[in-house]
């Protein structure tokens, strides 16, 4: 019987492990290998160049610009998205709005039903200088002086892209945080209010610690998303990556070097650098945001 059980377990485990190795681990291994070569994507031969590709990264002004823009997105997108999502989730769970919370969650979650390509095209129309929704709204409320060519001005384009990222992501985290807040026993919150704690104090001292695990997960996911941004930049911006490389991101540099310039070895080095940046970010966020878990008995 025991041998039969082992054969069953081996038969169940080996196929998915093989698939994981072929479709997940093997591409990683190939990318790591190609990062040390000068492969152009077409030739059957790839010459080893050692660390030359990695050395070029730090003298490539376009890659350094992309690194700065991804760093800015890493600072702004998770912070604003989590702040807005916590605010909306807290508002949904209080007072008379609790009854309409389900309807509000559907509205907030709606952007998650759209693909990134559709979101990018929609926001292109929003930012259109002459007939866009944003400039039309500014004119409608008597602020025509604030009308801008949002995606055509180097100082504004990256912020316009980040606003789109935040709009697309905040609904998902509203639903996530709302679910976490609903798991908090009502008598705990009522006891805090009876003790004289205001809503802000109750949120800071009770609600936030009890939903901290969800916030920690959000930090990691949003941090990884902020190091990407390829699809939005590729579709929304002029160039893409413009104007004047003001919206260049690492994913776009990688794509351009691989599929436009035929520098697959150099692009693989970018991919390896991005892999270690993402891994380091995840580890740092886990350590920095680690707190003692609060459990209710």
């Amino acid at each position: 019987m025991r041998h039969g059980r082992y054969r069953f377990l081996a038969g169940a485990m080996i196929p998915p492990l093989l698939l994981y190795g072929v479709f997940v681990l093997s591409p990683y291994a190939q990318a790591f290998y190609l990062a040390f070569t000068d492969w152009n994507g077409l030739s059957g031969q790839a010459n080893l160049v050692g660390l030359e590709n990695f050395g070029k990264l730090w003298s490539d002004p376009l890659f350094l610009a992309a690194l700065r823009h991804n760093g800015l997105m890493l600072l702004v997108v998770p912070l604003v998205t989590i702040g807005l999502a916590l605010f909306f989730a807290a508002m949904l769970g209080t007072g008379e709005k609790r009854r309409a919370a389900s309807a509000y969650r559907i509205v907030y979650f709606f952007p998650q039903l759209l693909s990134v390509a559709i979101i990018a095209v929609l926001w292109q129309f929003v930012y259109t200088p002459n007939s866009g929704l944003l400039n039309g709204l500014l004119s409608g409320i008597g602020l025509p002086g604030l009308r801008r060519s949002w995606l055509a001005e180097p100082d504004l384009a990256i912020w316009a892209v980040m606003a789109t990222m935040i709009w697309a992501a905040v609904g998902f985290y509203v639903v996530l945080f709302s679910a976490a807040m609903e798991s908090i026993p009502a008598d705990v919150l009522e006891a805090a209010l009876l003790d004289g704690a205001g809503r802000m104090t109750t949120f800071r001292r009770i609600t936030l610690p009890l939903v901290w695990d969800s916030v920690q997960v959000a930090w990691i996911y949003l941090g990884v998303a902020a190091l990407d941004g390829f699809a939005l930049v590729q579709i929304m911006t002029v160039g893409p990556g413009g104007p004047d490389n003001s919206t260049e991101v690492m994913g776009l540099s990688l794509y351009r070097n691989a599929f436009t310039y035929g520098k697959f070895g150099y692009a693989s080095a970018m991919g390896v650098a991005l892999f270690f940046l993402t891994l380091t970010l995840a580890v740092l966020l886990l350590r920095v945001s680690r707190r003692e878990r609060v459990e209710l008995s």
Side-chain angles (χ1 to χ4, degrees):
M1 288 293 290
R2 179 171 295 180
H3 292 297
R5 185 176 65 179
Y6 289 151
R7 280 197 295 272
F8 173 77
L9 289 175
M13 293 295 296
I14 288 175
L17 288 175
L18 282 175
L19 290 174
Y20 186 80
V22 171
F23 292 108
V24 178
L25 297 182
S26 173
Y28 274 104
Q30 292 179 50
F32 273 74
Y33 168 71
L34 291 175
F36 295 95
T37 71
D38 62 353
W39 191 50
N40 62 13
L42 297 175
S43 172
Q45 186 176 0
N47 301 312
L48 288 172
V49 296
L51 296 173
E52 182 180 327
N53 288 331
F54 293 98
K56 288 180 181 176
L57 288 178
W58 308 114
S59 58
D60 182 347
L62 206 55
F63 178 77
L64 295 179
L67 196 60
R68 285 196 299 273
H69 296 149
N70 278 113
L72 179 63
M73 292 162 72
L74 184 59
L75 289 176
V76 174
V77 173
L79 188 64
V80 177
T81 304
I82 290 174
L84 288 174
L86 283 172
F87 172 76
F88 288 131
M91 291 297 102
L92 287 176
T94 59
E96 297 179 354
K97 291 181 180 179
R98 184 188 288 272
R99 290 192 293 272
S102 297
Y104 278 111
R105 286 195 193 102
I106 293 172
V107 173
Y108 285 128
F109 197 75
F110 179 71
Q112 294 297 313
L113 304 179
L114 304 176
S115 71
V116 177
I118 293 176
I119 289 172
V121 172
L122 284 176
W123 278 86
Q124 264 188 327
F125 287 118
V126 171
Y127 290 133
T128 299
N130 295 324
S131 57
L133 179 64
L134 183 55
N135 280 343
L137 179 65
L138 290 172
S139 297
I141 60 175
L143 297 172
L146 296 180
R147 290 167 61 99
R148 293 287 186 277
S149 297
W150 302 99
L151 293 172
E153 296 185 19
D155 293 337
L156 295 176
I158 189 68
W159 295 96
V161 173
M162 285 193 290
T164 305
M165 291 180 72
I166 292 166
W167 178 86
V170 73
F172 174 81
Y173 294 100
V174 168
V175 175
L176 179 70
F177 295 152
S178 293
M181 289 178 186
E182 283 188 352
S183 67
I184 301 174
D187 55 350
V188 174
L189 301 175
E190 290 170 0
L193 293 175
L194 289 174
D195 287 341
R199 285 186 175 177
M200 181 57 72
T201 303
T202 303
F203 176 80
R204 187 164 51 87
R205 297 292 181 87
I206 296 178
T207 304
L208 189 57
L210 290 175
V211 302
W212 188 252
D213 285 350
S214 298
V215 175
Q216 189 182 40
V217 171
W219 272 113
I220 294 171
Y221 278 120
L222 287 166
V224 172
L227 288 177
D228 181 15
F230 166 74
L232 287 178
V233 170
Q234 172 76 7
I235 297 172
M236 289 178 65
T237 62
V238 293
D244 297 333
N245 301 321
S246 61
T247 56
E248 186 77 16
V249 292
M250 287 186 285
L252 183 62
S253 291
L254 189 157
Y255 174 83
R256 187 184 289 121
N257 275 282
F259 297 101
T260 302
Y261 304 144
K263 299 178 180 178
F264 275 78
Y266 185 51
S268 297
M270 288 185 179
V272 171
L274 185 57
F275 169 80
F276 281 110
L277 275 175
T278 306
L279 190 64
T280 305
L281 171 71
V283 173
L284 284 177
L285 286 177
L286 281 174
R287 292 189 64 84
V288 170
S289 60
R290 185 172 57 188
R291 291 185 176 184
E292 286 188 18
R293 179 167 295 179
V294 179
E295 295 183 355
L296 297 174
S297 58

